[in-house]
Amino acid sequence: MNIIIADDEPLLRLHLKEKLVLLWPQATLIAEASDGVQATKAITDLCPDVAFLDIRMPGLDGLEVARITAGRCHIVFVTAYEQHAVQAFEQHAVDYLLKPYSDARLEQTIARLKAINSPPAENAAIHAVIAQLSHLQPSIAAPLRWLRVASGQETRLVNVEDVVYFEADEKYTSVYTTTAEYLIRTPLKELETQLNAETFWRVHRSVIVNAAFIESATRTLDGRYHVGLRGRSNILTVSRAYAALFKQM
Amino acid sequence: MVVFEMVNEKGTLTKKRLAISFALQISANTLIAILLTSIGGHFEINFIFSQYIGILTFAILHLLMNLFQATTPTQKIIISAVSVALGAASGAYLSIWTLRQFGFNQFDLIFETLYRPILVGLVIGGLFMYYYYSKEKILDIERRIQVETMHRLAGEKHLLETELKLIQAQIEPHFLFNTLATVSGLLERDAVAARKMLENLIVYLRTSLARTRTGELTLSEEIELLRAYLSIMRMRMGERLTYELDIPPALLAIPFPPLLIQPLVENAIHHGLEPKINGGHLRVSASVLNQMLTVNVEDNGLGIKADWSPGVGLENVRARLKLLYGESARLEFVDKPQGGVTVQMQIPQPESPRTP
């Protein structure tokens, strides 16, 4: 039985290696990898029987490695991920090891691997597991929290809560904070859908204002409202269509 | 001079309102004319003067207010004054012109009575302006109070949410379990190293889990936490991580709220260095200039990728900075063109810092 181990942490790799030597003398460690790219190469080049893959690795993560090399070898994920991610595995044939693992648990894995007769089929099960796990990775479409803005050569992150207001500026959107002004490529319309409507108010066709910065709202003689903002000296005009936002104030 | 009644409760101008206002305007002007006549002069002349001056002042005022979009009381007062002056002058001129058309040429009389409607117009105009200004001011104060209340309530809600998140987010399970796995592996091979790592983990947990802190904490406690955390990460990542803490000893006694730098460091490692195949270098530095403590956390890792977004830990730091220091604290993320990220945090220091 030829095996490879992939983990970016040298001590954890060493630990698994020592344990395998001890608990599974028949197995031969043919390669070690410290990142996903190395792991993929080792699996493709050396065709091991089993690959122990850490999930979080630089380059490619363990799930990606498994996806790319699907069908080439049996895969045991070695992960510190939480229970729900692990449950997904439990329903399928592929084993997992939850870090930190006991000797007894590793022995179970070894026993399971020894018992496998079928070749590592590129079965739907593993794809389902991978899909499920990938889905559990943080990919929830949360409301926009940080804006990536260009500032000279650099890219900055600006938290939306620090934005006083957004103003549509032809193809771009101007972002005003209390101290600076930036241009972003996202059109105002698209931004509006990503922002929390409770704090970001559309007050004009081309302006979205952060309500937290509204200092005063003054009604003019013709029924429009003018909004004064904390940290910015200019006054924003509320168009009639959006005046209702301020009427109850 | 009933200009100010033009706007109804909802702030909209309707045709009906306009008609009522106009009628009120005419009536008020007529009243003024009667008032003036009671003092002296001819009613016809006073009537013509009052109407012209009243209507023109109203028209000019409305025009200018719309034209300049006046918002501050000062702007409004200036515009009102200019309108009254222009209204009075043009009204007087038109009145004389009109009277001439009717063959009225007793200009002695006109000039004798001319100052009266203008004077009365100014006085009444001034009274209305004062009334309007006061009303506006009261409304403005009420709005301000409401806005403040809204902000305060939002702030309180936010504080609770942040505290909740702080408990949930401070210790990353992945970090904890990987570290424990490392300790577990080290126990058999290198008990001294295992013990050292465990001790560092205890320092990390004790600081991160402390919910009720009494007394003022200093920067030195936060640095201790960083040392413990970085020492663990260095053992785990091996050659892939190098770091330096450049904190002038004089700054260690500065009062400093806990867990403001640690999440920045954790973020730099988690997003910048750990996912980078060859790892990299991390530098934490601090300095005080002009009563502002600046902390820089720099790495030469992957940088801010298109799909990268700071996690809950950083959100917490930002929210807590805001609660503790309002607008005077800063937190900036800069993606360096040569690779890596610099996070800069600035915290205001009290007038008399404890540092020499």
Side-chain angles (χ1 to χ4, degrees):
Chain A
M1 205 59 109
N2 289 334
I3 58 173
I4 74 154
I5 295 173
D7 195 316
D8 59 326
E9 297 194 18
L11 288 172
L12 294 177
R13 223 163 49 226
L14 181 65
H15 180 55
L16 181 58
K17 191 164 81 181
E18 286 178 351
K19 286 288 163 202
L20 285 173
V21 166
L22 202 70
L23 302 170
W24 197 7
Q26 303 91 332
T28 319
L29 181 72
I30 55 167
E32 283 180 51
S34 59
D35 61 71
V37 180
Q38 274 183 23
T40 309
K41 196 172 179 317
I43 295 172
T44 321
D45 292 354
L46 307 171
C47 295
D49 300 300
V50 184
F52 286 84
L53 298 179
D54 179 20
I55 286 187
R56 208 150 74 176
M57 282 190 291
L60 294 165
D61 69 30
L63 299 170
E64 286 167 328
V65 174
R67 194 177 298 134
I68 293 167
T69 63
R72 287 177 187 268
C73 65
H74 296 291
I75 284 177
V76 176
F77 285 119
V78 185
T79 169
Y81 272 47
E82 299 118 77
Q83 205 59 43
H84 57 270
V86 161
Q87 281 164 349
F89 271 111
E90 287 183 327
Q91 301 157 14
H92 301 282
V94 186
D95 203 5
Y96 70 90
L97 268 177
L98 188 63
K99 287 190 265 189
Y101 46 84
S102 62
D103 288 4
R105 183 64 189 84
L106 184 58
E107 278 175 329
Q108 258 183 42
T109 305
I110 293 166
R112 225 176 269 191
L113 285 167
K114 279 178 177 167
I116 293 174
N117 298 316
S118 55
E122 200 180 339
N123 57 4
I126 193 162
H127 283 293
V129 174
I130 290 163
Q132 249 174 304
L133 269 181
S134 315
H135 186 68
L136 292 165
Q137 307 280 312
S139 63
I140 315 129
L144 183 65
R145 302 290 306 137
W146 298 85
L147 299 163
R148 200 177 313 278
V149 300
S151 166
Q153 283 262 293
E154 306 161 335
T155 307
R156 274 165 192 275
L157 288 180
V158 174
N159 192 281
V160 288
E161 282 177 32
D162 291 330
V163 175
V164 182
Y165 69 97
F166 296 96
E167 188 169 23
D169 188 5
E170 290 175 14
K171 274 187 284 180
Y172 302 98
T173 301
S174 295
V175 179
Y176 295 89
T177 66
T178 54
T179 49
E181 178 190 339
Y182 307 100
L183 267 185
I184 54 171
R185 280 174 213 276
T186 321
L188 199 70
K189 234 183 212 167
E190 201 181 311
L191 264 180
E192 194 182 16
T193 60
Q194 295 172 29
L195 292 167
N196 182 357
E198 259 180 59
T199 40
F200 286 92
W201 297 358
R202 184 80 173 253
V203 298
H204 190 273
R205 193 169 44 81
S206 62
V207 178
I208 293 176
V209 69
N210 183 348
F213 281 94
I214 295 178
E215 195 166 49
S216 63
T218 327
R219 206 182 62 196
T220 62
L221 290 170
D222 62 344
R224 283 174 203 269
Y225 282 86
H226 287 289
V227 172
L229 300 162
R230 191 157 43 85
R232 295 229 53 116
S233 53
N234 52 328
I235 303 265
L236 297 179
T237 306
V238 180
S239 55
R240 284 169 202 276
Y242 303 100
L245 279 169
F246 296 90
K247 273 180 187 165
Q248 67 270 35
M249 284 174 76
Chain B
M1 278 295 150
V2 200
V3 183
F4 309 100
E5 299 303 321
M6 283 291 294
V7 183
N8 72 6
E9 294 297 306
K10 290 256 165 68
T12 47
L13 261 180
T14 60
K15 271 182 191 162
K16 199 180 156 194
R17 281 268 161 191
L18 196 70
I20 293 169
S21 300
F22 193 70
L24 275 168
Q25 172 86 45
I26 302 286
S27 321
N29 292 342
T30 312
L31 263 172
I32 292 167
I34 294 166
L35 194 75
L36 286 170
T37 315
S38 70
I39 302 167
H42 292 266
F43 175 74
E44 304 92 312
I45 295 170
N46 286 337
F47 183 76
I48 288 170
F49 269 91
S50 298
Q51 294 299 355
Y52 267 125
I53 293 174
I55 293 167
L56 278 167
T57 306
F58 152 71
I60 292 167
L61 181 70
H62 200 66
L63 190 80
L64 290 181
M65 284 284 189
N66 273 312
L67 206 63
F68 293 104
Q69 298 284 330
T71 45
T72 65
T74 325
Q75 287 173 333
K76 281 174 190 162
I77 298 273
I78 291 170
I79 287 179
S80 305
V82 169
S83 307
V84 170
L86 283 176
S90 55
Y93 179 81
L94 273 173
S95 302
I96 293 169
W97 180 81
T98 310
L99 288 168
R100 272 220 182 100
Q101 300 305 305
F102 287 102
F104 198 91
N105 280 311
Q106 283 176 279
F107 288 110
D108 293 351
L109 189 62
I110 291 168
F111 286 121
E112 190 192 307
T113 54
L114 185 61
Y115 73 95
R116 282 189 193 143
I118 295 175
L119 203 68
V120 173
L122 284 172
V123 169
I124 294 175
L127 283 174
F128 268 110
M129 259 155 57
Y130 179 73
Y131 164 75
Y132 178 67
Y133 173 68
S134 313
K135 197 175 141 190
E136 181 97 331
K137 208 166 179 182
I138 290 165
L139 276 176
D140 215 48
I141 288 166
E142 280 172 0
R143 281 195 206 104
R144 258 172 224 270
I145 290 169
Q146 272 172 328
V147 169
E148 295 263 300
T149 315
M150 272 164 54
H151 286 175
R152 193 171 48 77
L153 289 175
E156 279 169 8
K157 190 173 158 239
H158 200 70
L159 180 66
L160 285 172
E161 282 172 357
T162 310
E163 279 186 355
L164 200 69
K165 274 192 222 147
L166 195 64
I167 308 166
Q168 293 166 343
Q170 220 40 253
I171 296 165
E172 222 238 312
H174 204 270
F175 166 77
L176 191 59
F177 288 121
N178 268 323
T179 303
L180 287 172
T182 310
V183 172
S184 159
L186 278 172
L187 274 171
E188 290 165 36
R189 198 178 333 108
D190 186 349
V192 177
R195 190 193 169 94
K196 198 182 153 219
M197 198 169 206
L198 209 49
E199 280 167 0
N200 282 322
L201 185 62
I202 289 165
V203 171
Y204 175 85
L205 289 177
R206 209 181 282 292
T207 320
S208 302
L209 291 171
R211 292 292 308 136
T212 48
R213 292 191 158 275
T214 47
E216 215 167 38
L217 290 173
T218 61
L219 188 59
S220 97
E221 269 120 331
E222 184 77 357
I223 301 301
E224 275 313 298
L225 173 65
L226 292 189
R227 277 190 214 287
Y229 175 76
L230 284 168
S231 161
I232 291 170
M233 288 316 293
R234 160 77 195 172
M235 279 176 90
R236 281 178 41 191
M237 289 173 69
E239 300 298 316
R240 292 177 57 233
L241 174 68
T242 54
Y243 66 88
E244 60 180 300
L245 297 176
D246 183 8
I247 318 290
L251 300 186
L252 291 175
I254 287 182
F256 193 83
L259 296 169
L260 284 181
I261 308 178
Q262 198 275 336
L264 306 181
V265 169
E266 199 164 324
N267 181 72
I269 290 187
H270 190 90
H271 290 286
L273 301 174
E274 238 184 336
K276 195 177 164 189
I277 288 181
N278 298 320
H281 186 73
L282 180 100
R283 183 172 186 267
V284 182
S285 57
S287 61
V288 171
L289 188 70
N290 299 331
Q291 254 126 41
M292 199 62 124
L293 169 68
T294 303
V295 177
N296 280 316
V297 177
E298 293 166 71
D299 68 64
N300 59 356
L302 289 182
I304 302 171
K305 287 188 291 174
D307 60 341
W308 181 77
S309 173
V312 188
L314 292 194
E315 285 282 349
N316 270 325
V317 171
R318 214 192 59 81
R320 285 172 60 225
L321 280 178
K322 199 151 228 171
L323 286 167
L324 291 163
Y325 307 102
E327 297 295 322
S328 49
R330 289 242 187 105
L331 183 65
E332 288 195 328
F333 298 82
V334 180
D335 198 16
K336 295 178 289 186
Q338 67 269 29
V341 179
T342 299
V343 184
Q344 187 174 80
M345 179 165 64
Q346 290 190 302
I347 294 176
Q349 294 301 300
E351 284 299 309
S352 52
R354 286 184 198 173
T355 48

